[in-house]
Amino acid sequence: MAVDLLLGLQWGDEGKGKIVDVLTSDYDIIARFQGGPNAGHTLEFNGIKHVLHTIPSGIFHENSENIIGNGVVIDPVIFQKEIDELSGFNIDFAKKLFISRKAHLILPTHRLLDTASETAKGKAKIGSTLKGIGPTYMDKTGRNGLRIGDIELSDFMDRYNALRGKHLEMLENYNVDIQFDLEELEREFFLAIDSIKKLKFIDSEKYFSDAKKGGRTILAEGAQGTLLDVDFGTYPFVTSSTTTAAGACTGLGVAPGDIGDVIGIFKAYVTRVGSGPFPTELFDADGAQLAKAGNEFGSTTGRARRCGWLDLVALKYACEINGVTKLYMMKADVLSGFDTLKVCTHYKYRGEKIDFFPYNIEEKNIEPIYTEVPGWKKDLTKVKSSSEFPENLNKYVEYIEKETGIKIEVVSVGPDRTQTITM
Ligand code: IMP
């Protein structure tokens, strides 16, 4: 058995959900390994658009099992809403959605702490989605967290109350004015806990070991992107989990030797939501055109995404860290209409020309160095095969392949399942 990985190579929002959905028919099991409701994986098919936050993107396929791994953090309230929103799809959740007992729970007070922390940071804020992700992972690594498996224990309420008490003390120390009705938040939380109990909890490492023995195929679905990784991203403007390939091993309980293909997803340009450095960010009409044509608004928060040209320095870095074996390029259709496209090939870093991703990519240290390539005018959204691609798109694809040394296997030309072109 090989566990194939699918992950984002930029700052998230690369279109991973769409591709998992497209690939699901090739796999028996789809598994999320990190992140939580900060993610928003958008899927479009049969004229329906759907955004998933915690549930793996294989949920719509009849024969796939969907696993929420131990590396994921779960907000039961958001999770329940997601399940409710899928009620029209006739999905038998008890049969096809399983949760690792070792996944951590996001408490209402984790969300409050997230808000307090961001408020206290003022201008230096991370731009968090405020879903409680950071405080929950802090409790996990601090060995204070509550896990899904704890729900089954007779002293769950004692554990809950102990952590809640700790959080309320921490909130006082932040000394910021945030309004909340904890009683109401807890009412929702415990209702959702009752619902989540109806699903099957598993020991995911045992589940994957059995799947391996049974020769079943697995696709691990990453959330966020490589440049938001807590170690290798643009720290501190990152999320709190390991979004890179290594995270799939720790977030599911599979061994490194079991990893097969690593599918790296990237947009034909770059976007970022929230704060933090972004060397190729555009503040001009070209940036506005990308934002408009790409409908670049966050699927979880609705925030406008920052847009910029493709950054090859960052892309090569992401390919290396993850050991990418196949590239999928998304949103090529958004680049239609430009006379010329710019691609960043190097950075000027403290006066020196470099071709690697340095420790500090803050604006004051970095200036992108671009090469220009010819654009294309053709609307790609109706294209059915790569033979219909304009010549300059083929050249763009070949150029990226040559620079990264990795084949682009798929080019996506629109949000729908059908707008996916295999090269
Ligand atoms: P948090 O993980 O919600 O605390 O957010 C930390 C940073 O990661 C912020 O800049 C967010 O905008 C960003 N972020 C978190 N999740 C996503 C995602 O799924 N897509 C894009 N950006 C994200």
Side-chain angles (χ1 to χ4, degrees):
M1 173 201 72
V3 180
D4 290 341
L5 298 188
L6 181 144
L7 33 80
L9 300 179
Q10 295 160 329
W11 279 288
D13 308 316
E14 296 92 352
K16 297 174 290 292
K18 165 179 164 161
I19 296 299
V20 177
D21 176 57
V22 168
L23 291 179
T24 303
S25 45
D26 299 343
Y27 294 92
D28 301 313
I29 300 163
I30 310 296
R32 273 280 304 270
F33 58 88
Q34 45 70 230
N38 48 350
H41 291 179
T42 307
L43 290 73
E44 280 192 49
F45 52 93
N46 303 338
I48 299 168
K49 179 173 171 175
H50 211 88
V51 182
L52 296 169
H53 300 286
T54 317
I55 296 177
S57 304
I59 199 71
F60 296 104
H61 285 256
E62 212 173 316
N63 298 322
S64 67
E65 282 180 5
N66 291 266
I67 310 300
I68 299 177
N70 56 281
V72 176
V73 291
I74 301 175
D75 181 330
V77 178
I78 296 180
F79 184 69
Q80 185 54 43
K81 278 193 194 129
E82 261 188 275
I83 298 229
D84 291 346
E85 279 165 20
L86 292 172
S87 59
F89 290 93
N90 241 337
I91 297 168
D92 187 349
F93 290 101
K95 252 172 93 181
K96 48 181 305 175
L97 180 62
F98 309 146
I99 309 177
S100 166
R101 287 196 174 83
K102 295 193 174 94
H104 278 245
L105 278 170
I106 302 177
L107 271 50
T109 41
H110 280 130
R111 271 188 275 147
L112 299 176
L113 283 170
D114 216 359
T115 303
S117 163
E118 282 284 80
T119 310
K121 281 194 163 112
K123 274 193 181 151
K125 71 176 182 181
I126 307 293
S128 167
T129 59
L130 302 179
K131 303 291 178 198
I133 305 296
T136 307
Y137 279 114
M138 279 163 71
D139 271 338
K140 174 178 176 172
T141 50
R143 295 157 297 178
N144 295 312
L146 279 188
R147 300 186 288 177
I148 284 287
D150 294 340
I151 299 172
E152 298 172 314
L153 303 179
S154 57
D155 64 350
F156 175 62
M157 279 314 293
D158 296 339
R159 290 169 187 247
Y160 174 84
N161 284 324
L163 191 53
R164 168 197 200 265
K166 215 178 262 183
H167 288 168
L168 291 177
E169 273 175 32
M170 287 164 75
L171 271 175
E172 275 189 23
N173 288 334
Y174 270 112
N175 205 14
V176 289
D177 183 25
I178 54 167
Q179 306 294 320
F180 56 88
D181 177 353
L182 188 53
E183 213 173 292
E184 173 56 18
L185 294 175
E186 289 185 323
R187 194 189 62 77
E188 278 184 328
F189 177 79
F190 285 109
L191 274 176
I193 289 281
D194 278 343
S195 300
I196 218 172
K197 280 186 198 161
K198 293 178 197 142
L199 294 177
K200 188 170 166 188
F201 299 163
I202 58 167
D203 298 317
S204 59
E205 56 285 16
K206 163 92 169 76
Y207 173 91
F208 287 114
S209 156
D210 291 345
K212 178 178 170 177
K213 286 174 199 146
R216 304 180 76 204
T217 51
I218 299 165
L219 180 67
E221 173 183 12
Q224 290 82 48
T226 300
L227 303 179
L228 287 172
D229 182 272
V230 67
D231 283 279
F232 299 107
T234 46
Y235 193 90
F237 300 99
V238 294
T239 190
S240 301
S241 62
T242 299
T243 60
T244 43
C249 295
T250 56
L252 296 177
V254 298
D258 287 332
I259 303 296
D261 267 323
V262 180
I263 302 167
I265 311 284
F266 71 103
K267 272 183 191 160
Y269 51 100
V270 183
T271 63
R272 170 161 211 178
V273 64
S275 328
F278 179 178
T280 62
E281 182 169 11
L282 290 166
F283 301 95
D284 57 8
D286 288 341
Q289 183 172 332
L290 290 173
K292 187 160 180 263
N295 190 24
E296 294 296 355
F297 294 94
S299 44
T300 297
T301 58
R303 290 179 293 176
R305 295 182 187 138
R306 302 152 65 192
C307 297
W309 296 121
L310 185 66
D311 182 341
L312 272 181
V313 183
L315 187 66
K316 287 192 222 173
Y317 169 76
C319 287
E320 276 175 25
I321 282 189
N322 293 303
V324 170
T325 59
K326 294 176 175 179
L327 284 170
Y328 282 28
M329 185 169 85
M330 310 301 289
K331 288 194 145 181
D333 52 301
V334 174
L335 290 186
S336 294
F338 286 98
D339 290 326
T340 306
L341 304 171
K342 285 188 179 178
V343 179
C344 168
T345 57
H346 296 79
Y347 296 145
K348 193 166 173 197
Y349 179 66
R350 296 176 173 160
E352 207 185 315
K353 185 176 172 184
I354 61 166
D355 62 358
F356 62 90
F357 203 74
Y359 174 71
N360 188 334
I361 67 157
E362 275 173 28
E363 221 170 274
K364 61 178 190 293
N365 294 322
I366 287 274
E367 205 185 298
I369 299 175
Y370 291 108
T371 189
E372 293 197 351
V373 296
W376 57 88
K377 299 284 177 199
K378 181 171 178 162
D379 172 14
L380 302 178
T381 55
K382 310 256 172 347
V383 159
K384 295 282 171 246
S385 112
S386 61
S387 62
E388 296 169 53
F389 278 2
E391 196 191 336
N392 286 343
L393 170 57
N394 285 328
K395 284 190 182 153
Y396 193 66
V397 167
E398 282 160 20
Y399 177 59
I400 297 166
E401 289 182 335
K402 187 167 147 269
E403 286 291 317
T404 56
I406 303 165
K407 180 147 176 38
I408 297 182
E409 302 236 332
V410 163
V411 173
S412 174
V413 293
D416 198 89
R417 259 184 205 166
T418 55
Q419 294 168 306
T420 312
I421 312 296
T422 304
M423 302 299 281

